[in-house]
């Protein structure tokens, strides 16, 4: 984000918190929508906006499966489900959508594109060869990695968070009072 006025990003409370433009925003969806509107990442009209929202919701569904994996004791069955759903349900939709256009909707960068980039990176962390049969998505990933803000975000030492370790999982279980 150019000339961003984000002053703090915190996940130490129960909710993700971003301080931006003098406001304290909580809840991932609200934060994403604010940033998308502020930086014009929601499309040029209502039709673009609804397409972007549909793609974003699907991407978030897939990302949630991956993010909750850390709380599962027997990970392999869940990994198998995630991989199958990604390959058979989610990735084919994005592969088709990217068969001609540079971006998912309206020929310009949107929040759905940024989310898809992060989602594909998350998938590759779990399944390194998952994009082998999805040439359009792989090409998209290459283009997205050259977008200046994303390029910087993907560099070592950036704000992109690594996969959670055992200490993170233990702390999250205690803070959220999860029972297994």
């Amino acid at each position: 984000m150019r000339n961003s006025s984000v002053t703090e990003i915190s996940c130490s409370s129960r909710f993700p918190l971003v301080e931006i433009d003098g406001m304290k925003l909580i809840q991932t969806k609200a934060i994403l929508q604010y940033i998308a509107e502020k930086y014009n990442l929601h499309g040029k009209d209502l039709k673009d906006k609804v397409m972007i929202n549909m793609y974003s919701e699907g991407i978030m569904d897939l990302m949630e499966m991956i993010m909750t994996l850390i709380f599962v004791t027997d990970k392999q069955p869940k990994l198998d489900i995630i991989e199958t759903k990604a390959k058979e349900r989610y990735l084919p939709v994005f592969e088709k959508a990217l068969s001609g256009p540079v971006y998912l909707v309206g020929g310009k960068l949107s929040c759905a594109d940024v989310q898809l980039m992060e989602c594909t990176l998350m998938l590759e962390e779990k399944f390194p060869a998952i994009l082998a049969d999805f040439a359009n998505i792989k090409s998209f990933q290459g283009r997205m990695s050259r977008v200046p803000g994303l390029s910087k975000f993907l560099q070592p030492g950036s704000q992109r968070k690594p996969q959670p370790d055992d200490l993170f999982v233990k702390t999250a279980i205690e803070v959220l009072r999860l029972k297994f």
Side-chain angles (χ1 to χ4, degrees), residues 106-129:
K108 63 179 248 164
L109 183 68
S110 73
C111 57
D113 296 304
V114 176
Q115 288 174 291
L116 180 58
M117 177 66 172
E118 178 63 17
C119 185
T120 59
L121 294 172
M122 290 171 70
L123 283 168
E124 286 182 317
E125 288 171 346
K126 300 296 180 197
F127 317 102

Side-chain angles (χ1 to χ4, degrees), residues 6-167:
V6 174
T7 56
E8 180 181 348
I9 299 174
S10 171
C11 291
S12 59
S13 65
R14 287 188 169 185
F15 307 100
L17 167 71
V18 173
E19 288 188 19
I20 184 170
D21 298 338
M23 297 183 294
K24 291 183 179 185
L25 303 178
I26 60 169
Q27 298 294 1
T28 302
K29 195 180 275 189
I31 293 165
L32 290 172
Q33 287 177 350
Y34 181 82
I35 291 170
E37 289 296 328
K38 178 175 178 147
Y39 294 100
N40 196 25
L41 299 173
H42 249 158
K44 66 182 179 305
D45 57 28
L46 187 58
K47 183 179 176 186
D48 280 0
K49 189 172 188 172
V50 75
M51 291 299 298
I52 290 166
N53 286 340
M54 287 191 305
Y55 284 131
S56 291
E57 288 295 320
I59 294 165
M60 287 304 294
D61 289 346
L62 183 52
M63 289 173 74
E64 284 175 10
M65 283 189 265
I66 298 166
M67 290 184 288
T68 58
L69 180 64
I70 63 171
F71 300 111
V72 176
T73 37
D74 186 8
K75 292 183 181 3
Q76 195 55 53
K78 176 101 177 184
L79 281 166
D80 293 343
I81 290 168
I82 294 168
E83 184 175 26
T84 299
K85 283 186 176 184
K87 284 182 171 181
E88 295 176 6
R89 179 178 177 189
Y90 293 95
L91 294 176
V93 170
F94 300 115
E95 181 72 5
K96 183 178 179 184
L98 293 166
S99 64
V102 173
Y103 298 109
L104 288 170
V105 178
K108 63 179 248 164
L109 183 68
S110 73
C111 57
D113 296 304
V114 176
Q115 288 174 291
L116 180 58
M117 177 66 172
E118 178 63 17
C119 185
T120 59
L121 294 172
M122 290 171 70
L123 283 168
E124 286 182 317
E125 288 171 346
K126 300 296 180 197
F127 317 102
I130 196 161
L131 298 181
D133 294 330
F134 300 97
N136 294 333
I137 296 173
K138 199 67 182 157
S139 178
F140 164 83
Q141 208 181 40
R143 288 189 306 274
M144 290 294 288
S145 67
R146 291 187 295 277
V147 171
L150 291 177
S151 176
K152 183 178 177 185
F153 182 69
L154 296 172
Q155 297 302 312
S158 74
Q159 287 185 334
R160 184 167 191 266
K161 303 295 182 216
Q163 292 188 40
D165 60 14
D166 291 339
L167 177 61

